[in-house]
Amino acid sequence: MTKQNHATHKPREKWGTRIGLVLAVAGNAIGLGNFLRFPVQCVNNGGGAFMIPYIVAFVLLGIPLMWIEWGIGRFGGKYGHGTTPGMFHYLWKHPMAKYLGAIGIAIPFGLVVYYTYIESWTLAYSVFSFTGKYFGIQNHQGMVDFLSAYQGKTVNSYFNGIGTAYLFFLITLGLNVWILARGISKGIELLCNIALPMIFIFGVILLIRVFTLGAPDPAFPERNVWNGLGFIWNPDFRALTSAKVWLAATGQIFFTLSVGFGAIQTYASYLSEKDDVVLNGLAASSANEFAEVILGGSIAIPVTVAFFGLAQTQQIATAGSFDLGFFAMPIIFQKLPWGQFFGTIWFFLLFLAGITSSVAMAQPVMAFLQEEFKIERKKAALIIGSVAFFLMQPVIFFLKFGFLDEMDFWIGTFGLVVFAIIEVIIFIWVFGSKNAWKEITLGADMPLPKIFYPIMKYILPAYLAILLGCWFFQDGMKVLTMQGVPPENYPYIWFARFLLLGILGAFVVLVRIAWQKPHLIQRRIPS
């Protein structure tokens, strides 16, 4: 294609500032998993020993994959593509490439469909903390009943239906659509410039309060924050012999860095051709790790140990992240001076972490509609909000039948690994490892250690393949055959699976339509 044949395209959006980009990518990564999932995974998988496979996975999987996604994204942006169908199309001159890239839009959009509802709970609980609505509920079962009634599963004196939850869901969805409609610089970047500092400020305030607790109940001096920290960080090295622990650590790295979703590629596509990706990516990852390891690992579990003791905290952690965040923490806030204030900023911190992630996951669809179908930004945001609203209804009303959990597994666990394998093969092996290395290091503000070349080429794909194989061997058939699922939930589980297949199928069709449009086939080739 010659320059004379190039179509004239409207200039793509760009990040306003470098710090805005770093904060946006960090905001994409910093989510509910940093403050709820990480400490629970650590406790349930050997305590401090969990950090060994966690660090190994971070170095051998997380960081290399993150750089690969930044490289793919900036590469695609040079050709006017902000999503993986177009990026894969230029990396691999094969008709199948663009359809594989459709997975990189379906996964983040599928996540938006259920993540936004969970995100709305944190906003609601921030308001409930401020008003003291749940104050007076002093036991775990009481808080379970409170959340259950809020979600519309049951009815009690606090909620007589799902109306309150639905209101907060609409507010949360509306905020997401409004931010997306404002665009990259005035919407997402502005949000992250405000939200990320607030997350760290609120986190430090809570951290200081936790560290100054000591032993809240003199009758139980062993119930203190330091034993809580020890509960997380004291290593049980016997756990390292379990494949489950290594799988859990690797899964947490996927969650915490938001790799395998397709969102980092879209964010990186708004870079200029020679903008750095090595240092920017490392800075965003470092901010995320600080939020997770330092803040996330030092707030929820230690304070729970201080008030409930080691044994009960372990029971709470084993039950799941929601038990820790939505059941234990509200009880603790009632026992603290200024508890309503601390409860408000805790749940608002979670909400800010959630919304910076959800807008990031919606942006690939925004870019796809804007660039491949030339749909104006505000209209694209309304289309996404409307479709997401429709698809969110079964998530909301079939919650008690495991609908949300099923979607979360196939998107947030299985889908991430599969897509990561696909993008590594296309970028490193099809596009070529030397070409990929050159693309990643182009314009780098710091030299990329050469040890990462063989890591990206050999260790990373092998690591991912082994991870997927171990999952299938240990849990794959159980999940596929719905072992342990109540029979009455079967129709809803199948509904969730068909919905996910429908989302993927819809994007495959849209990709096919886009590539049949003459003005979309040609893209600017950088000079």
Side-chain angles (χ1 to χ4, degrees):
M1 187 185 300
T2 63
K3 283 190 177 182
Q4 286 75 15
N5 292 331
H6 293 164
T8 301
H9 297 289
K10 181 180 179 180
R12 299 182 75 244
E13 295 181 86
K14 296 292 183 182
W15 297 103
T17 62
R18 181 170 183 170
I19 186 63
L21 165 65
V22 171
L23 289 176
V25 179
N28 168 35
I30 297 172
L32 302 180
N34 294 71
F35 299 96
L36 296 180
R37 194 177 190 273
F38 170 75
V40 169
Q41 289 293 314
C42 193
V43 166
N44 291 334
N45 291 284
F50 174 81
M51 294 306 297
I52 295 175
Y54 179 89
I55 293 171
V56 170
F58 181 71
V59 173
L60 298 183
L61 178 99
I63 289 292
L65 189 55
M66 178 269 303
W67 277 326
I68 285 173
E69 293 192 348
W70 276 75
I72 291 174
R74 188 183 60 181
F75 175 84
K78 293 186 293 188
Y79 295 88
H81 287 287
T83 51
T84 48
M87 295 170 186
F88 287 3
H89 171 75
Y90 276 95
L91 290 170
W92 181 26
K93 308 298 184 181
H94 191 282
M96 183 61 65
K98 57 184 176 291
Y99 297 117
L100 290 175
I103 302 173
I105 311 175
I107 285 178
F109 181 70
L111 185 83
V112 169
V113 169
Y114 69 87
Y115 190 88
T116 306
Y117 187 44
I118 301 173
E119 180 186 313
S120 71
W121 303 349
T122 62
L123 179 61
Y125 268 65
S126 182
V127 175
F128 297 159
S129 297
F130 182 77
T131 61
K133 185 174 180 65
Y134 59 72
F135 276 56
I137 303 175
Q138 296 291 329
N139 57 74
H140 181 270
Q141 187 57 49
M143 290 308 308
V144 171
D145 294 340
F146 182 87
L147 178 61
S148 180
Y150 168 77
Q151 294 168 338
K153 296 179 182 178
T154 58
V155 175
N156 60 21
S157 59
Y158 292 96
F159 305 101
N160 58 7
I162 201 171
T164 304
Y166 210 84
L167 173 63
F168 279 101
F169 154 67
L170 291 175
I171 293 171
T172 302
L173 179 61
L175 286 171
N176 276 267
V177 172
W178 179 69
I179 292 165
L180 289 169
R182 289 177 58 85
I184 290 294
S185 180
K186 295 180 180 179
I188 294 175
E189 185 174 350
L190 180 61
L191 166 70
C192 294
N193 283 342
I194 297 171
L196 265 292
M198 289 181 69
I199 288 173
F200 287 114
I201 290 170
F202 289 165
V204 170
I205 291 173
L206 290 163
L207 193 66
I208 293 172
R209 186 66 191 95
V210 169
F211 276 29
T212 55
L213 275 174
D217 189 344
F220 298 97
E222 73 281 0
R223 296 183 181 179
N224 58 69
V225 172
W226 308 113
N227 281 342
L229 289 171
F231 184 38
I232 293 180
W233 297 109
N234 287 338
D236 177 7
F237 291 113
R238 294 171 299 178
L240 295 178
T241 60
S242 171
K244 170 181 170 290
V245 174
W246 290 83
L247 288 171
T250 304
Q252 182 61 28
I253 288 296
F254 265 96
F255 270 93
T256 193
L257 293 181
S258 291
V259 291
F261 282 104
I264 289 177
Q265 294 92 323
T266 298
Y267 273 16
S269 74
Y270 298 108
L271 290 167
S272 298
E273 184 178 351
K274 293 185 179 181
D275 282 348
D276 167 82
V277 302
V278 176
L279 186 58
N280 283 341
L282 194 60
S285 299
S286 300
N288 173 75
E289 289 306 303
F290 177 84
E292 176 155 295
V293 177
I294 304 301
L295 299 181
S298 304
I299 295 175
I301 291 294
V303 77
T304 307
V305 170
F307 280 97
F308 293 102
L310 287 171
Q312 192 170 350
T313 299
Q314 194 161 24
Q315 291 177 354
I316 295 170
T318 303
S321 301
F322 284 168
D323 286 55
L324 181 66
F326 290 93
F327 303 153
M329 295 297 282
I331 296 174
I332 291 171
F333 293 134
Q334 297 179 57
K335 300 176 183 293
L336 289 173
W338 293 77
Q340 289 180 233
F341 167 74
F342 290 113
T344 300
I345 66 171
W346 162 254
F347 284 110
F348 196 63
L349 177 155
L350 295 180
F351 173 71
L352 292 174
I355 196 169
T356 54
S357 296
S358 60
V359 295
M361 294 304 158
Q363 184 56 32
V365 194
M366 281 286 295
F368 183 71
L369 294 179
Q370 289 178 263
E371 295 167 0
E372 314 301 353
F373 289 93
K374 304 305 176 187
I375 297 175
E376 189 267 334
R377 185 177 65 210
K378 293 181 180 179
K379 185 177 179 181
L382 288 174
I383 291 173
I384 292 170
S386 300
V387 174
F389 171 80
F390 175 75
L391 297 178
M392 287 171 183
Q393 302 313 301
V395 174
I396 295 171
F397 290 101
F398 300 153
L399 181 69
K400 62 182 177 182
F401 299 109
F403 196 95
L404 186 153
D405 292 336
E406 186 69 11
M407 291 188 70
D408 183 53
F409 171 77
W410 289 108
I411 292 175
T413 302
F414 181 79
L416 301 187
V417 180
V418 170
F419 187 64
I421 292 174
I422 291 171
E423 63 182 357
V424 169
I425 291 174
I426 290 177
F427 191 53
I428 299 297
W429 286 92
V430 176
F431 183 61
S433 56
K434 291 183 179 179
N435 291 331
W437 184 263
K438 182 180 179 181
E439 180 63 38
I440 292 171
T441 56
L442 179 66
D445 291 335
M446 60 171 283
L448 184 59
K450 293 184 178 180
I451 185 62
F452 281 101
Y453 183 86
I455 288 176
M456 291 179 183
K457 187 171 183 179
Y458 302 109
I459 297 177
L460 176 57
Y463 201 128
L464 291 169
I466 292 171
L467 175 66
L468 190 62
C470 289
W471 168 81
F472 191 83
F473 178 76
Q474 291 186 351
D475 301 306
M477 291 307 299
K478 295 178 183 177
V479 173
L480 291 172
T481 58
M482 294 186 284
Q483 291 185 25
V485 175
E488 61 269 22
N489 288 6
Y490 286 178
Y492 302 97
I493 300 301
W494 280 114
F495 184 12
R497 293 177 179 181
F498 282 122
L499 177 62
L500 292 173
L501 288 174
I503 291 173
L504 176 59
F507 281 113
V508 168
V509 171
L510 288 173
V511 167
R512 180 173 178 80
I513 293 172
W515 256 254
Q516 290 175 340
K517 292 180 177 292
H519 69 285
L520 296 177
I521 295 175
Q522 294 185 346
R523 279 291 190 264
R524 178 180 62 85
I525 297 180
S527 56

